Structures are given as structure tokens and as C-alpha cells.
Amino acid sequence: MSDRTEAEAGVIFQAAYYSSCSAALSDAGIADILDISRRNNGRDGITGMLLLVDGAFFQVVEGEQEAVESLLKRVEADPRHSGMLLVLGETRPDRCFADWSMGFEKVSAKDVAVFDAADLSGDARLKDLAARAPELVAFMRSLYR
């Protein structure tokens, strides 16, 4: 391959993980995570989506492999969560979240049952999320099966 980066060549590295949110993390703390993530991800060419489901983080990030792996190391060391489990790390031809430096959605456990249903229309937020990020919904379904 020439001097072109993976992203320029049309190859994106995508990783997904889940972890347990610290019990002490407030809504203001989550807002802080999002502000910093959006700024840093914009700088580093990373896009993605973060879900918070009753104390569990589910995140998908994508970009150049080196940048994503560096981000994952920082995330793993962050004391605001624990038990990080990487469930996906693969290259793909394009981004799933090209317009989001860090999308975010917070849902409750009672809403999670909707992920297992074929019809997501029971919750407008989940229906919208499924339309915007089908890969994330597939990821959530696979974890809850």
C-alpha cells in the first residue's frame, strides 16, 4: 500500500466494548465524558456511539486502527467504569457513524427487552436509534441473547 492512511484507502477499524459504569458517575460526569470525547475524537478522526443502559456502557468506535487502539487504552484506564470487555475489533470498508464524533443514548433496562423484538416501534427513541445505527442495535441484540 502507498503512503495513504487506512481511512484514505477506504478501510476503517471498528471496535466495540461494554463495561460497568461507576456507581458514583452522575449525569454531569457523563456529560463531561461526552464533551471531552467529542473534542478528542474530532481531533483524532474517530467517530462512534455510546449507549448507557442502567449502569452498563456499550460503545462502538471507528477510525484509523492506531487511533482507535490508543483510545481504547485510555478508556480502559478510566476509573469511571470497570470490567471493560472488547467484543469486536475488525476492519470494514466504511464508517457506520460518520456524522457522530460521539453519539449518545441513555436507555433503561425495561427498554432493553425491545432490542430482542423484531419491531422496535414500542419506543420512539429506540426506533430512531435503530434507523440511525443499525449496527449498534445488532450489537445490543447479540449481547442480550
Side-chain angles (χ1 to χ4, degrees):
M1 186 177 261
S2 69
D3 291 338
R4 295 169 55 195
T5 65
E6 289 178 318
E8 290 168 336
V11 177
I12 295 297
F13 184 73
Q14 187 179 71
Y17 74 86
Y18 66 95
S19 64
S20 295
C21 177
S22 167
L25 189 60
S26 65
D27 286 344
I30 293 168
D32 185 52
I33 289 171
L34 292 170
D35 287 343
I36 292 168
S37 295
R38 288 174 177 144
R39 182 176 60 243
N40 291 344
N41 289 354
R43 177 197 67 211
D44 296 339
I46 294 174
T47 56
M49 177 72 182
L50 175 66
L51 283 180
L52 177 59
V53 182
D54 285 347
F57 284 121
F58 298 86
Q59 185 171 33
V60 177
V61 290
E62 56 196 12
E64 290 186 29
Q65 187 165 352
E66 185 177 309
V68 169
E69 289 175 346
S70 178
L71 169 65
L72 291 173
K73 287 178 185 174
R74 290 191 311 269
V75 168
E76 189 170 25
D78 191 323
R80 295 174 288 192
H81 71 119
S82 62
M84 182 176 155
L85 179 61
L86 188 66
V87 295
L88 174 74
E90 65 183 20
T91 56
R92 51 179 298 119
D94 53 12
R95 293 177 187 263
C96 295
F97 306 101
D99 297 329
W100 299 346
S101 61
M102 185 48 57
F104 177 72
E105 191 72 42
K106 183 177 180 179
V107 295
S108 68
K110 67 180 179 60
D111 298 326
V112 170
V114 178
F115 281 110
D116 231 1
D119 180 13
L120 294 173
S121 63
D123 184 313
R125 292 176 307 139
L126 294 178
K127 184 178 180 183
D128 182 54
L129 179 63
R132 293 182 296 153
E135 292 84 359
L136 190 59
V137 172
F139 168 55
M140 291 286 294
R141 281 185 174 142
S142 70
L143 291 174
Y144 276 93
R145 284 199 172 126

